[in-house]
Amino acid sequence: MPAEPTRTTQLADAAIAVLAEHGMRGLTHRAVDRTAGLPIGSTSYYARTRAALLELTMDRMVELDFASAGAEPSELAVPDIHAFGELVAGLLHSMLTTGRVRMLARYEFALEGTRRPELRAVYDRAGTRLREPTVRMLRAAGAPDPQRQARTLVAFCEGILFDSIAGVNRENPPELAELLAGIRELLHGMLHAD
């Protein structure tokens, strides 16, 4: 039986839903309280300021991303390049299906971060936590320039995600097999692997 979510987890999940549905302007402490089904003032008790609420929300998004991968960042490892491709394709597929709301919320956060430096800092910290394992795994796979190649791989993934969630293919997102084929082609080109 799964553990009961903590109050902060419940609030962060509600904040993600509010962001995805109503955008950054709709994200208020009261809206999160309503969405979480909690008494007014509950969100303010755990996240006194809007900045604290946003940080709680971004931390939860990153936590959910790693839960999709089945491991914490320091534990992410793959035995070979084929397993790496499967991991990345599986993560993309998860983000396009069960993580779709989270991705919409992340886009809202990212766009607002272009106008507000304090949000940019929170978003960039989260992005670094997500990118570091990619550099490490590419290095382990023998990538000649893992920093640059991680940037390319992440950009490829983010392009697929945006195109499939907010872009022209939002009604026709790729299936897991198509994602895996694309990732394998990209990794093969990067690593000259079989």
Side-chain angles (χ1 to χ4, degrees):
M1 184 172 189
E4 188 74 21
T6 66
R7 186 56 53 98
T8 55
T9 299
Q10 187 179 6
L11 292 169
D13 289 344
I16 291 168
V18 170
L19 267 175
E21 187 173 345
H22 302 289
M24 193 59 77
R25 287 184 180 207
L27 182 68
T28 65
H29 285 74
R30 283 180 174 253
V32 174
D33 289 337
R34 275 193 304 275
T35 301
L38 296 171
I40 298 300
S42 298
T43 303
S44 294
Y45 179 80
Y46 290 94
R48 288 219 175 285
T49 64
R50 183 172 174 81
L53 176 59
L54 289 166
E55 191 144 0
L56 178 75
T57 305
M58 182 53 76
D59 287 346
R60 178 64 175 154
M61 285 192 267
V62 171
E63 178 185 327
L64 291 168
D65 288 342
F66 286 120
S68 295
E72 284 298 309
S74 60
E75 299 168 355
L76 279 175
V78 289
D80 59 43
I81 195 63
H82 297 292
F84 187 25
E86 288 174 7
L87 173 70
V88 174
L91 283 170
L92 280 174
H93 189 258
S94 172
M95 290 174 173
L96 290 173
T97 54
T98 58
R100 190 175 189 86
V101 168
R102 184 170 74 248
M103 292 308 302
L104 284 169
R106 181 171 283 131
Y107 293 143
E108 289 289 339
F109 207 108
L111 289 171
E112 187 69 17
T114 64
R115 294 178 287 278
R116 296 182 48 204
E118 71 279 9
L119 290 185
R120 181 86 266 156
V122 171
Y123 186 83
D124 289 350
R125 269 195 314 275
T128 298
R129 282 187 62 205
L130 293 169
R131 290 166 193 256
E132 286 172 349
T134 306
V135 172
R136 192 178 67 251
M137 287 187 281
L138 281 169
R139 184 176 293 117
D145 189 351
Q147 287 285 347
R148 180 184 55 77
Q149 291 167 311
R151 183 178 182 157
T152 300
L153 177 59
V154 169
F156 174 86
C157 292
E158 290 197 1
I160 292 286
L161 290 168
F162 187 85
D163 180 61
S164 303
I165 290 174
V168 71
N169 281 309
R170 68 190 174 284
E171 300 297 327
N172 185 31
E175 295 293 331
L176 180 59
E178 183 180 346
L179 293 167
L180 183 56
I183 292 294
R184 283 183 173 160
E185 289 167 355
L186 183 63
L187 290 174
H188 177 80
M190 284 180 171
L191 304 171
H192 311 291
D194 297 325

